[in-house]
Amino acid sequence: MINVLMFGPPGSGKGTQSVTLAEKYNLLHLSTGDMLRAELAANTDLGRKMAAIMASGELVPDEVVIDMIAHKIDSTTDKAGFIFDGFPRTVQQAEALQTMLEGRKMKIDMMLVLEVGDTELMDRMKKRALVSGRADDADESVINNRIAVYRAKTEPVIEYGRRAGVCHQVDGVGSIDEIFGRLCNHIETII
Ligand code: B4P
């Protein structure tokens, strides 16, 4: 079993790359962003409560995403591992994930950090706004807030991965195929 964390700022391509990596290595793709957007789309109680937080570019409460992830891990039996996309996003989420995995005799094998500069991130999200219909892509000040929240609350998780000896930094600028190749080269060092 291999468990990979896909890490990077908003718009760095975590979701884009996680989908194809999951297919190639038979991993379950767990995107907390996708799970939350599914709650919004289904107009559930949780979705209605989280809508304003997400539209402002802030993070939803840790316990909400931790519960979602635990439930998915426990209901999956037919995969070679997991690719966590957009989770953990705070040190508290990272600690909760570690405890969750240890309790199930699992561990984080690799953390892949996509590195992309702010101007390129802004550009990509503005382009995505034209097709995604996402409230958090539509407004430049919200995009700036998402990047600021990443730097303040999420980036410290990289240090957590470094201390665990699993952190691999990857250039996230280039064609989608080029970046996929770079990520595969890293994953293949552990399989
Ligand atoms: P996410 O869904 O994780 O959104 P993201 O960071 O924007 O996505 P990603 O980096 O995956 O970008 P993508 O591949 O699509 O989170 C959304 C919100 O949900 C958060 O702000 C927060 O409110 C909430 N949330 C989610 N998880 C949470 C958690 N754990 N805790 C608390 N709150 C949480 O790529 C972006 C664009 O770039 C795409 O249009 C893509 O086509 C393009 N692109 C990708 N690679 C490219 C390349 N190489 N070159 C050019 N363009 C590229």
Side-chain angles (χ1 to χ4, degrees):
M1 163 160 282
I2 58 163
N3 298 308
V4 177
L5 302 188
M6 182 58 66
F7 207 83
S12 56
K14 302 182 294 288
T16 305
Q17 298 293 343
S18 295
V19 170
T20 37
L21 289 172
E23 263 172 41
K24 176 165 175 157
Y25 297 107
N26 187 30
L27 306 175
L28 185 72
H29 173 209
L30 291 178
S31 160
T32 40
D34 287 350
M35 289 179 216
L36 290 163
R37 280 186 291 278
E39 297 284 337
L40 254 57
N43 198 25
T44 62
D45 281 352
L46 181 67
R48 281 193 295 275
K49 280 187 202 139
M50 298 306 129
I53 302 176
M54 291 176 72
S56 70
E58 293 295 320
L59 298 178
V60 309
D62 288 332
E63 54 279 13
V64 170
V65 286
I66 291 166
D67 284 354
M68 284 178 161
I69 290 283
H71 177 71
K72 290 281 185 186
I73 291 177
D74 289 339
S75 56
T76 303
T77 52
D78 56 342
K79 292 284 177 183
F82 295 92
I83 184 155
F84 296 94
D85 162 13
F87 178 88
R89 253 180 165 91
T90 62
V91 171
Q92 198 192 331
Q93 289 180 19
E95 286 166 351
L97 178 63
Q98 190 177 353
T99 307
M100 203 188 295
L101 293 179
E102 280 170 4
R104 292 159 176 82
K105 306 257 181 297
M106 291 155 65
K107 63 178 175 32
I108 297 159
D109 297 291
M110 182 169 281
M111 173 183 198
L112 293 164
V113 183
L114 286 170
E115 296 185 301
V116 180
D118 290 1
T119 315
E120 169 80 11
L121 296 175
M122 179 64 81
D123 231 45
R124 289 184 189 181
M125 284 187 278
K126 279 193 196 154
K127 274 194 202 135
R128 184 171 63 185
L130 301 174
V131 290
S132 72
R134 277 173 56 172
D136 59 348
D137 282 342
D139 183 318
E140 196 162 324
S141 70
V142 173
I143 296 176
N144 276 325
N145 189 38
R146 288 165 62 197
I147 296 172
V149 168
Y150 172 80
R151 303 282 176 223
K153 296 189 178 161
T154 306
E155 217 165 41
V157 178
I158 297 177
E159 192 45 43
Y160 189 86
R162 278 204 194 105
R163 280 201 306 271
V166 295
C167 179
H168 294 237
Q169 275 158 301
V170 180
D171 181 1
V173 180
S175 75
I176 289 173
D177 287 349
E178 277 165 354
I179 297 161
F180 182 68
R182 289 172 202 154
L183 294 167
C184 292
N185 288 342
H186 284 279
I187 292 181
E188 278 165 32
T189 62
I190 57 161
I191 56 173

